[in-house]
């Protein structure tokens, strides 16, 4: 199965006269693949994934989703992708379930059609018993789970997660990892950014290492270790970038 879900060609992003956040990234992610973009803060991970979801306008380069250009075919791209952004949105005054119906509504799904899926997702992310709570009443971990639930509301084929476990405690992090593995088994294409080594090692079939806006290496974790002759992914990272991942 070699269908390409996300194709990024020569992506550049310059935010002002001096800062090139992304400097020529080429990347192809296969349908059904679990791919991790790994890099320290400021490396260009969020800029890259925000370009895929049209939140950032590239300075140069183009991006395709299932072979269709995300600019000329933006409706198609939007329907295929669900994104969980790094920053948690602050819709404090709406109940959890309502927020998921809103989200499905953005994609033209009626309440009746969305009900079964939303109930399923609420169970999956462990929020069913909290569905009537307002967002401001949720714990940090629950907010993170709600964010992923929102990304899944229209049942997208591609799930993009920007630092999905940032600031989440260890137990919840493991729950989220299990859930992401289930989604992967169901066939979803998943792209996540992380600066947690263990997260990348456990979940990702391939890892792209990004530093100073460039993709400096890309492979399976075991191939990266073998080609650099290192036994730990953090040492691979240090070797390839001269930086520590948590810099
Ligand atoms: P990461 O997600 O890897 O932490 P980002 O893509 O957020 O990296 O940032 C890459 C670089 O671009 C950083 O130097 C950051 O300060 C800069 N940057 C990100 N967003 C903006 C913006 N909206 N305006 C100006 N500079 C930005």
């Amino acid at each position: 199965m070699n269908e390409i879900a996300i194709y990024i060609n020569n992506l550049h992003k310059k935010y002002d006269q001096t800062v090139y956040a992304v400097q020529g990234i080429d990347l192809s992610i296969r349908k059904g693949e679990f791919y991790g973009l790994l890099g320290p803060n400021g490396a260009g991970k969020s800029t890259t994934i925000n370009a895929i979801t049209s939140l950032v306008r590239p300075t140069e380069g183009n991006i395709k989703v299932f072979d269709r250009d995300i600019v000329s075919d933006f409706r198609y791209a939007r329907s295929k992708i669900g994104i969980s952004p790094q920053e948690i949105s602050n819709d404090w005054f709406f109940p959890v379930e309502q927020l998921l119906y809103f989200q499905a509504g953005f994609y033209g799904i009626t309440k009746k059609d969305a009900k079964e899926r939303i109930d399923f997702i609420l169970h999956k992310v462990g929020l069913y018993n909290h569905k009537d709570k307002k967002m401001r009443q949720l714990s940090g971990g629950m907010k993170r789970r709600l964010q992923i639930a929102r990304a899944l509301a229209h049942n997208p084929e591609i799930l993009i997660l920007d630092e999905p476990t940032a600031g989440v405690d260890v137990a919840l992090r493991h729950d989220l990892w299990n859930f992401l593995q289930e989604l992967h088994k169901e066939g979803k294409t998943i792209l996540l950014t992380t600066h947690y080594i263990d997260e990348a090692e456990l979940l990702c079939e391939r890892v792209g290492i990004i530093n100073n806006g460039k993709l400096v290496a890309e492979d399976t974790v075991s191939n990266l270790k073998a080609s650099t002759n290192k036994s730990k992914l953090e040492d691979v990272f240090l070797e390839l970038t001269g930086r520590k991942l948590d810099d």
Side-chain angles (χ1 to χ4, degrees):
M1 194 173 58
N2 281 324
E3 196 180 347
I4 300 298
I6 300 173
Y7 170 76
I8 300 177
N9 172 44
N10 193 33
L11 181 69
H12 287 75
K13 176 64 189 178
K14 202 176 189 183
Y15 282 109
D16 55 38
Q17 294 305 323
T18 49
V19 182
Y20 252 117
V22 172
Q23 315 184 50
I25 287 189
D26 296 310
L27 199 67
S28 290
I29 299 170
R30 291 187 286 270
K31 182 179 159 95
E33 190 171 29
F34 204 136
Y35 189 100
L37 264 187
L38 199 63
N41 286 324
K45 304 183 296 295
S46 296
T47 301
T48 303
I49 62 171
N50 287 340
I52 302 169
T53 53
S54 301
L55 292 172
V56 157
R57 185 195 290 255
T59 309
E60 207 182 317
N62 65 302
I63 300 175
K64 289 180 180 176
V65 165
F66 292 117
D67 215 23
R68 288 163 75 164
D69 186 83
I70 61 158
V71 178
S72 56
D73 244 340
F74 70 94
R75 280 205 177 82
Y76 175 82
R78 279 200 54 195
S79 73
K80 293 287 168 191
I81 298 175
I83 179 161
S84 168
Q86 198 175 122
E87 266 140 48
I88 290 179
S89 70
N90 50 0
D91 300 300
W92 304 118
F93 302 104
F94 293 101
V96 166
E97 187 181 39
Q98 189 64 55
L99 285 169
L100 294 180
Y101 280 114
F102 284 162
Q103 190 73 23
F106 293 147
Y107 293 91
I109 304 166
T110 62
K111 194 165 179 183
K112 189 166 147 274
D113 289 341
K115 184 171 182 355
E116 198 178 322
R117 171 141 192 95
I118 287 176
D119 282 354
F120 170 78
I121 297 169
L122 282 168
H123 280 295
K124 275 287 173 205
V125 298
L127 286 177
Y128 193 81
N129 293 334
H130 306 279
K131 66 188 171 70
D132 298 321
K133 284 191 181 154
K134 298 198 170 98
M135 194 166 172
R136 68 189 154 94
Q137 296 170 295
L138 301 181
S139 68
M142 285 181 191
K143 287 189 188 113
R144 195 51 82 183
R145 279 185 274 167
L146 173 58
Q147 187 135 304
I148 297 175
R150 287 171 89 170
L152 289 165
H154 64 294
N155 202 8
E157 282 185 57
I158 301 172
L159 188 59
I160 298 183
L161 307 161
D162 196 357
E163 303 269 358
T165 62
V168 164
D169 68 44
V170 175
L172 176 64
R173 182 170 294 165
H174 288 142
D175 287 350
L176 283 174
W177 287 349
N178 288 336
F179 179 49
L180 296 180
Q181 282 173 318
E182 268 182 51
L183 291 169
H184 176 229
K185 278 197 203 115
E186 279 171 22
K188 299 251 183 261
T189 305
I190 304 179
L191 167 60
L192 68 75
T193 74
T194 185
H195 58 260
Y196 295 118
I197 287 279
D198 48 353
E199 188 159 291
E201 290 217 78
L202 179 78
L203 297 176
C204 300
E205 291 169 299
R206 269 194 315 151
V207 165
I209 294 184
I210 186 167
N211 191 36
N212 295 328
K214 291 185 178 149
L215 194 68
V216 294
E218 180 193 55
D219 214 326
T220 62
V221 171
S222 55
N223 284 350
L224 286 171
K225 286 177 180 170
S227 63
T228 52
N229 206 15
K230 304 279 178 204
S231 59
K232 290 185 175 167
L233 187 55
E234 50 258 59
D235 294 335
V236 173
F237 193 85
L238 190 61
E239 170 87 8
L240 292 171
T241 66
R243 292 173 74 179
K244 284 191 170 169
L245 193 56
D246 55 4
D247 259 1

